[in-house]
Amino acid sequence: MIQEELKRLGLNEINEGTSTGQNWFSNGEILESYSPADGQLIGKVKASTKEDYEKAIASAQEAFKTWRATPAPLRGEIVRQFGEKLRAYKADLGKLVSYEMGKSYQEGLGEVQEMIDICDFAVGQSRQLYGLTMHSERPGHRMYEQYHPLGIVGVISAFNFPVAVWSWNAALAWVCGDVVVWKPSEKTPLCGVACQKIIQEVLKENNLPEGISVLINGDYKIGELMSKDTRVPLVSATGSTRMGKIVAQEVAARLGKSLLELGGNNAIIVTPDSDLKMTVIGAVFGAVGTAGQRCTSTRRLIIHESIYDKVKDAIVAAYGQLRIGNPLDQNNHVGPLIDKDAVNTYLAALDKVKEQGGNIVVEGGVLEGAGYESGCYVKPAIAEVKNELEIVQHETFAPILYLIKYSGDVENAIELQNGVAQGLSSAIMTNNLREAEKFLSAAGSDCGIANVNIGTSGAEIGGAFGGEKETGGGRESGSDAWKIYMRRQTNTINYTTNLPLAQGIKFDL
């Protein structure tokens, strides 16, 4: 357990009905949070009912009246203060992320650092919400575009990044003048409560309404309420493609906006001109980091036939050095899956690999014995497969790496890489400039992220994050991703005493 960290985060008294920093208590079913690291109960919170949801929306609506009128640089100052609080709480929050979700402590710290980084980015963005000025065809007229806040931004986040993805959305939405209603994963509710308490500290210290940031714990029913709610103009949802399609249809039915970050089936192409050491590091971390539970995890390794055996042997040897165990022990490389349902999905996928003709190179399985009492620890597995196998075409959120052989030119490898329904992250390992540029061209990778000589896993705050096809097409974090959180308005000002019409139309009275 991590009692001291919970205490410092204000979670030492988490129980049935503990407040999440808001002025009301939730009244729904009890959500129990068990750590996949050791199977221990961390704490309990109550889910939100429909009535609780209405209170949350009402609080957000009222806060929006104040927040939208606050100058953007001042909104940025609040986000800056939030980033400073995160720096102070980094070690404790990082450990909670690790313990409740199961990723390594270093990855937990890295996730909180992503939160800090997006705050820094958003602070600068608060002074750069630029519009455009255009010349009018009518004399004595001026035209320009400006951006205004949308209102309530609904965020539905997934368990694998229980705090970072919310912050990507929230930091930008806040500087844009929006308020945020957040439904974290019911598998990691305490991470959500901890973040809510931190931002509420900042809001209270600045005499700002708590509805600027609202937390609503619960299952898919809360997501359904949010998706159908016309008072929530934008819903940002991260999770499976199946979930994203449901959210997209519900939001589109009311002509709302959705930002979707869904499944990935990410590949690294390994050409004869690749650096073997770099390839092994990128592929192994991409495949086993977070126990294969990243949307950018490496699922497929597409290797040229001339170096296939050499690369395969090196990857298999690296897997033999992996240490699997408690994620709070920094000597371990791989922690547990999130729960036993995830374990069953992993085992079912390995069975399908065998049924569909794949060859298991590194056997998987569930680990048992001392240190593995939670039943959520599994062995990272490797299989030789054909790209067209049904199981390969789908994302399995677990540490299973598929080795695929290609022949001929890099175009053949790119065709294999693009030959799946998902389009999130991709990479090529090569020192051949022509191959690299081909991969990055319009005829190359069809993914939202395309890397050269680094793996598929991970992303920097400065670049827009997201993917194409069944990944959803959304973009979060850096670049001009802020625009999704605002509505664009075109303005025309006539500063004359006449009223000429556009296109030279005459309308004399």
Side-chain angles (χ1 to χ4, degrees), residues 274-295:
S274 62
D275 182 300
L276 181 60
K277 182 179 179 181
M278 292 174 63
T279 297
V280 171
I281 293 172
V284 174
F285 174 74
V288 308
T290 323
Q293 297 172 114
R294 292 184 175 213
C295 52

Side-chain angles (χ1 to χ4, degrees), residues 19 60 95 126 170 178 226 233 241 244 272 330 332 335 341 350 473 497:
S19 173
K95 190 160 285 188
S126 70
D178 299 313
M226 190 183 293
T241 297
Q330 297 185 48
N332 292 324
D341 287 340
L350 289 176
T497 58

Side-chain angles (χ1 to χ4, degrees), residues 315-457:
I315 296 290
V316 170
Y319 267 52
Q321 301 174 47
L322 292 176
R323 292 185 294 272
I324 308 168
N326 191 316
L328 297 180
D329 182 346
Q330 297 185 48
N331 292 314
N332 292 324
H333 299 107
V334 185
L337 292 176
I338 185 65
D339 55 26
K340 291 182 180 179
D341 287 340
V343 172
N344 292 334
T345 298
Y346 155 86
L347 293 173
L350 289 176
D351 287 341
K352 288 182 179 180
V353 169
K354 297 172 184 176
E355 292 169 4
Q356 295 172 18
N359 175 43
I360 301 295
V361 177
V362 174
E363 290 286 344
V366 181
L367 292 167
E368 299 176 344
Y372 304 126
E373 290 86 356
S374 69
C376 296
Y377 291 88
V378 301
K379 301 175 186 176
I382 299 176
E384 295 177 301
V385 298
K386 298 290 187 181
N387 197 63
E388 60 270 20
L389 292 188
E390 186 269 340
I391 187 59
V392 178
Q393 290 290 308
H394 297 282
E395 178 188 46
T396 300
F397 228 50
I400 302 175
L401 178 63
Y402 299 123
L403 305 185
I404 300 167
K405 187 183 296 184
Y406 83 93
S407 58
D409 296 332
V410 72
E411 286 85 352
N412 296 331
I414 293 172
E415 184 177 357
L416 288 170
Q417 185 227 272
N418 293 347
V420 294
Q422 307 81 8
L424 178 53
S425 187
S426 58
I428 188 171
M429 293 292 183
T430 183
N431 289 320
N432 184 310
L433 180 62
R434 290 175 175 169
E435 289 180 333
E437 290 295 336
K438 182 72 174 181
F439 179 73
L440 300 176
S441 73
S445 170
D446 63 2
C447 296
I449 299 170
N451 299 326
V452 177
N453 290 330
I454 62 172
T456 64
S457 188

Side-chain angles (χ1 to χ4, degrees), residues 139-218:
H141 285 60
R142 181 167 70 89
M143 292 179 65
Y144 69 95
E145 291 181 344
Q146 62 178 327
Y147 287 84
H148 294 303
L150 288 172
I152 298 174
V153 171
V155 177
I156 301 171
S157 62
F159 73 85
N160 60 329
F161 281 85
V163 296
V165 172
W166 164 72
S167 71
W168 291 358
N169 286 274
L172 290 182
W174 286 331
V175 298
C176 289
D178 299 313
V179 296
V180 177
V181 176
W182 178 27
K183 191 206 90 64
S185 170
E186 60 269 32
K187 296 181 180 182
T188 51
L190 300 187
C191 285
V193 174
C195 290
Q196 179 68 3
K197 284 181 173 289
I198 295 171
I199 184 59
Q200 287 298 333
E201 282 185 25
V202 176
L203 297 177
K204 185 176 181 180
E205 289 168 1
N206 288 272
N207 296 313
L208 288 167
E210 64 178 11
I212 292 169
S213 178
V214 179
L215 181 78
I216 42 174
N217 272 308

